[in-house]
Amino acid sequence: MNSFAVTVLVLAVGAISVSARLQHYVVEKSFNQAQAECALYQGVHDDDLLRYVKEGYPDVEEVRCLLRCVAFNLRFWNHTTGLQKHMIAGHFVPYPDDYHNVERTDACLAEQLYTCDDDLCTQVYKAFQCYYQHYGALSECPQFVVNTYLEDRQVAVDLFGMLPVSQSTLQNLAGGCFPSGEESLCFFYSFVVRSGLYSEEDGANLERLYYQYHEEVFNPNNAKTVACLQNQKKLACKKTTCQQAYDTFQACFGESQGLEYLVHTVFVDAAKDFLGQPVCYCTKGKTCPLHRCYGR
């Protein structure tokens, strides 16, 4: 093998390994990492934090509010719907041969149901203790942290700047007309890749999709979904990368609220935001006052 071929091979392998470890706009965080961040934000001293953990998170105000911070940090609690069971469960590992941990945890949640008189720190604390006492051991493994609507919208807006998205495609997206051609499909592909929900190598990431949208169609144990994804992979050789990504979502998740939310809420709102910004139509020797983009 000549030196040029070796160089090409090395570069190719390097490109593959880099692709596999790209971060994109994905956050994965363990409970301990979130806890350490919150302790720093709230001024909890290291020795106090170690004592709280050793004592099983005692019922004192500083601990209650520390756990509230962790809950919002990891997104297993929000102001509108409260506890997100599937997300908090991901931070615990059931003990071997414990087949009733879910029932005990649910019974505890029903027993310890917080009231409107409880402040938010207390509400989170009661729910956390049910999982801590009954569900299993806290996991040390980082878990996917879901995006909020505002983050999804920002990802879309960023991609409009990062990709050569034409004015007509932006207008179609803003009007809810999707897909409207290969350019819109490649925007969709870039969005789901950047959000960590899909990769060219592995296809749809069901675990993250289930975390993000919590619909049964995204459940990794859904046999119908798994079969659909396998079938879509067989068809990949006949399609572009962008077409394959969209077809996978449309064929396997076409009726999901998650896909509806992306196409008719996130993409629409982001495109409207982007179109609302001053647009530069540059000619040689002229500048745009705001963006200062120069003609060539």
Side-chain angles (χ1 to χ4, degrees):
M1 185 179 293
N2 62 41
S3 60
F4 176 76
V6 171
T7 301
V8 171
L9 179 61
V10 170
L11 289 174
V13 172
I16 292 171
S17 62
V18 167
S19 174
R21 66 172 183 268
L22 289 176
Q23 185 172 347
H24 298 294
Y25 194 87
V26 179
V27 175
E28 291 186 320
K29 196 177 293 185
S30 70
F31 187 92
N32 285 341
Q33 287 172 319
Q35 180 175 260
E37 290 174 352
C38 287
L40 179 65
Y41 303 153
Q42 298 188 348
V44 178
H45 297 300
D46 290 346
D47 54 346
D48 288 332
L49 180 59
L50 288 172
R51 178 168 54 84
Y52 293 152
V53 173
K54 186 177 180 180
E55 293 176 0
Y57 298 94
D59 188 3
V60 297
E61 184 177 5
E62 188 169 60
V63 172
R64 293 195 297 269
C65 290
L66 174 70
L67 290 172
R68 166 188 167 167
C69 175
V70 172
F72 277 88
N73 192 338
L74 296 176
R75 307 268 165 82
F76 64 73
W77 193 285
N78 64 52
H79 276 296
T80 55
T81 55
L83 179 67
Q84 306 296 297
K85 291 183 178 181
H86 66 293
M87 293 185 195
I88 188 173
H91 290 281
F92 288 85
V93 180
Y95 295 107
D97 302 323
D98 183 359
Y99 303 110
H100 303 286
N101 61 320
V102 175
E103 291 90 337
R104 290 198 313 276
T105 303
D106 286 344
C108 176
L109 288 171
E111 241 175 65
Q112 298 294 327
L113 189 63
Y114 41 81
T115 68
C116 294
D117 295 329
D118 290 330
D119 61 33
L120 192 51
C121 295
T122 302
Q123 292 178 27
V124 173
Y125 180 81
K126 286 182 176 181
F128 170 80
Q129 280 294 344
C130 286
Y131 281 84
Y132 188 73
Q133 297 294 335
H134 301 288
Y135 198 92
L138 276 171
S139 171
E140 296 181 3
C141 297
Q143 299 291 327
F144 177 65
V145 179
V146 301
N147 280 352
T148 64
Y149 159 73
L150 291 175
E151 287 174 320
D152 282 336
R153 192 174 71 180
Q154 188 61 52
V155 169
V157 169
D158 288 344
L159 284 170
F160 292 147
M162 295 161 67
L163 301 171
V165 181
S166 66
Q167 193 80 352
S168 61
T169 295
L170 281 168
Q171 289 169 343
N172 281 324
L173 289 171
C177 302
F178 182 89
S180 60
E182 185 71 8
E183 192 175 79
S184 64
L185 295 178
C186 287
F187 166 76
F188 178 86
Y189 165 75
S190 298
F191 182 92
V192 292
V193 169
R194 187 163 175 77
S195 301
L197 305 177
Y198 183 93
S199 72
E200 185 177 1
E201 299 83 2
D202 301 320
N205 189 317
L206 286 179
E207 184 176 343
R208 288 176 177 175
L209 283 162
Y210 190 59
Y211 254 68
Q212 184 75 44
Y213 302 119
H214 198 47
E215 294 181 71
E216 184 57 31
V217 71
F218 298 118
N219 191 326
N221 297 318
N222 186 318
K224 184 178 178 181
T225 297
V226 172
C228 179
L229 292 175
Q230 289 173 344
N231 186 55
Q232 287 300 307
K233 283 185 178 181
K234 294 176 183 177
L235 302 173
C237 62
K238 301 179 182 179
K239 304 175 184 177
T240 66
T241 299
C242 300
Q243 185 77 55
Q244 172 65 13
Y246 177 70
D247 284 355
T248 296
F249 273 75
Q250 185 60 40
C252 302
F253 317 127
E255 301 301 316
S256 70
Q257 293 180 5
L259 184 59
E260 172 75 11
Y261 155 77
L262 287 182
V263 171
H264 290 115
T265 299
V266 175
F267 295 174
V268 169
D269 293 349
K272 286 179 178 177
D273 286 350
F274 199 82
L275 288 168
Q277 298 173 4
V279 178
C280 289
Y281 299 99
C282 303
T283 57
K284 191 171 183 179
K286 295 184 178 181
T287 64
C288 299
L290 180 60
H291 294 288
R292 297 192 63 78
C293 63
Y294 290 84
R296 299 179 181 179

